[in-house]
Structures are given as C-alpha cells and as structure tokens.
Amino acid sequence: MTVDLAELRPAAIEAAEERALELLAGGQADEAVSLLRGIVHRAVTKHGDEDVLTGMAQFRLAEMLRRTGAPEAEQLGALTDAIKAFSASVGPTDPQTTAAFGRLAHVALAAEAIEIAVTAGMQAIGGLQARGEGETPEAGGIYAALAMAAAARRSPAAPGAAERAYRLTHDAGGDDADRRRALAAWRSLGQPHRVAVTGELSMVVFGAPPALVVELDHVATDGALDQHMHGLRSDAARALREQIATPPFAYRASAGGFEIVSRSGGAAAVRFGPDVEVALDAGELDALRAALADALSGTGGESQPGRNEPCPCGSGQKYKRCCGR
C-alpha cells in the first residue's frame, strides 16, 4: 500500500495505520512504529499539539505501541498526548477523547499507575454517560479497570464499579478480556449487586455478612464522572436502618460527613459532606428503607448457585461452565 502524505487529512492517517498494520503482519514491527511516529511528527509540526489530527495520529501510535509490546510508559505518553489534543480540539466528551481515556485507564492499570487509571476511567465513563452510553459493554470494560484500580487503593468505589462491570459486560456482550476482568473484580469484591434509590443515588451490597456502600454519581462540568460515597459495615447499616425507620431522625456517621436527616412531609436529605446533598421524597426514602432491609436480610442479593445449576447470568450454561469457572 502506498500512503500519500502530501496533505495530512484523516484519510491519510487511516491509510498510514493500515500500512503500519501490514508492516507489523510482515514482521516489521520497528518500521510500523516508525511510520506512525513520522505521522505524529508531521501532524505536530503542521497543526500543533492541540489539533484533532494530532490526536488521531497519537492515538494510532499508542495502539501500535500496544500491539508491538512497547513499554507501558511509551503507551502512556502517546495516549496522554492524544487526550491533550482531543480535549482541546473536540472536547472531553467526544467519542475520540473517551476512547483515549478508556485505553489510558487500561494501560495505566497494567503499569500499576493506579491514580492515573482511576482518573482516566472516571473521565471515560463521564464522556459515555454524557452521550447516553453509560450502560454499554464499552462502559463495562472501563468499569472493570476502575474496579481493579479502586480495589488496589482500598476505595469504597470498588464494589460499585465491579457490579457495573459484571452486569454490563454480560448483559450486552462485552469482549472476552473485559469479561474476564469484570468477573475477577466481581468475585474478589464479594459479588456486589446494586439497588437504585433515585436516578443518581443507589446502594451497593456485597460480601457476607453484607456490607453496603451508599453511592451518588453524576457527570461533572468537566465531563468526568463525579462520585460521592459512604461505606457501611453490617452493624452500621443496621444502626442506620433503625434510626431512619421513624421520623423525625438525624443519622450522622462518626466520620466522613455522611448524614441522613428527615424533612417535612415524609421526605429526607442525604448529605455527603457540607457541599453535596440529595433530596429524597417520601417514596424515595421508602425505597432506601426497603433496600436496607433487603440487604441486611439477605433477600436482595444473588446467592451463589450450585455448580450444576443454571448460571444466573442467563447464558443457559451450567454455573460451573460459565461464571463459576
């Protein structure tokens, strides 16, 4: 294939990528990387480092570096440069920016750069949610990386991310690598499940005896997923259930700034510190009470089936041949 680079356009970058893949298939990995590095240099020289064409070239270079087994530091550098270019030119929620953030989350996790993995994953999920794609297999794969990164830093975000990864990579397919990561995170974090209270507020239940995370998430103005959460061990969850059973009430956690206080008309307010508050109407407060009761009684979760029983994921296979492997 001949690549015409007389005028650098998206089609020329795509043609260069195809040519690089041909070189790689022919055992010329160094030449493939060199070709795409040349495209990056040309894009930066002609258009600057904050142009969409530069982002396209950097992203394709990062993918080639991954395919050739280049050090993760090189991949991280190319992806960071791609994100800079995309964010400046097409914005933080554009599909190209989201894809670069998602890839950065996976590479950073592999490199044990945990904070980078979490930040990149939150940006990617925020971009997907802003476009109405937060419940897709692509989001599930990113949640899998987020779950593993959050678990590594002992964050209460881990069970909720694992629940979403498990559900999204199963319900709509998901590629094999994403599914394996999702299953590993879901099993290691006590097979979490989620009970929705409002559109943004939910409760994640995991482990035995059950522990809970009250989780609030929405997309911030910078396009990232903004999360606030509070974890409760079984004894604290029981205390919460008892305290909010009858108004008036004012439950305050011993640390973390988490509160639930009653309001007139059977309503309540949930606070995650002084600046983050969610209003619950009477019906939503009842939903929160019901979720707490189900979680603590063990009726709201998924019990592990026998090895020869149908797998609860709906695959039609026996548990031992599917999620129980």
Side-chain angles (χ1 to χ4, degrees), residues 3-323:
V3 181
D4 181 8
L5 297 178
E7 188 173 356
L8 195 60
R9 293 180 178 275
I13 294 174
E14 292 168 4
E17 180 184 33
E18 291 180 15
R19 175 56 182 153
L21 289 171
E22 291 176 355
L23 290 169
L24 180 62
Q28 297 176 281
D30 290 345
E31 290 81 356
V33 171
S34 180
L35 172 60
L36 292 178
R37 286 194 192 279
I39 297 296
V40 168
H41 176 75
R42 183 178 177 85
V44 171
T45 300
K46 187 171 183 179
H47 299 283
D49 59 2
E50 295 188 346
D51 185 83
V52 64
L53 291 173
T54 300
M56 293 175 63
Q58 291 281 16
F59 186 75
R60 283 157 175 77
L61 172 60
E63 178 63 14
M64 184 55 63
L65 290 169
R66 183 190 68 81
R67 288 174 177 270
T68 58
E72 284 142 356
E74 292 186 40
Q75 300 178 49
L76 290 172
L79 287 167
T80 300
D81 289 341
I83 288 167
K84 176 183 177 181
F86 286 141
S87 296
S89 58
V90 293
T93 62
D94 185 86
Q96 296 176 99
T97 317
T98 300
F101 272 124
R103 175 52 59 191
L104 180 63
H106 287 299
V107 175
L109 180 63
E112 299 183 1
I114 301 303
E115 295 303 319
I116 294 175
V118 170
T119 300
M122 298 288 269
Q123 286 285 164
I125 292 297
L128 289 169
Q129 288 194 351
R131 301 198 307 273
E133 299 171 10
E135 295 285 308
T136 60
E138 180 183 359
I142 297 167
Y143 275 121
L146 269 175
M148 298 176 82
R153 69 175 188 177
R154 300 181 183 276
S155 167
E163 180 277 331
R164 284 190 168 105
Y166 174 80
R167 173 168 48 84
L168 295 176
T169 57
H170 161 253
D171 288 352
D175 69 35
D176 290 342
D178 286 345
R179 184 59 176 165
R180 286 194 298 271
R181 282 190 288 265
L183 282 170
W186 184 74
R187 290 168 179 158
S188 67
L189 290 164
Q191 300 184 10
H193 66 280
R194 182 182 304 274
V195 181
V197 179
T198 72
E200 294 184 338
L201 186 71
S202 61
M203 182 181 300
V204 181
V205 186
F206 61 101
L212 316 175
V213 175
V214 183
E215 181 180 292
L216 171 70
D217 62 71
H218 65 277
V219 179
T221 54
D222 66 354
L225 179 65
D226 184 24
Q227 288 189 321
H228 303 273
M229 56 201 65
H230 184 77
L232 297 163
R233 296 179 183 272
S234 291
D235 54 351
R238 289 189 182 91
L240 171 61
R241 180 186 62 180
E242 292 168 5
Q243 193 140 351
I244 69 172
T246 306
F249 55 80
Y251 173 89
R252 291 180 174 86
S254 58
F258 179 74
E259 299 179 324
I260 302 182
V261 296
S262 57
R263 292 284 185 261
S264 62
V270 181
R271 298 188 183 121
F272 297 84
D275 301 322
V276 181
E277 179 174 308
V278 181
L280 301 181
D281 62 27
E284 292 165 340
L285 178 56
D286 284 341
L288 177 61
R289 291 177 175 134
L292 276 167
D294 285 348
L296 292 170
S297 68
T299 62
E302 296 183 43
S303 60
Q304 182 164 311
R307 287 178 54 75
N308 289 312
E309 292 178 3
C311 186
C313 77
S315 66
Q317 297 183 340
K318 292 182 178 180
Y319 179 70
K320 67 182 179 182
R321 301 189 182 280
C322 190
C323 294

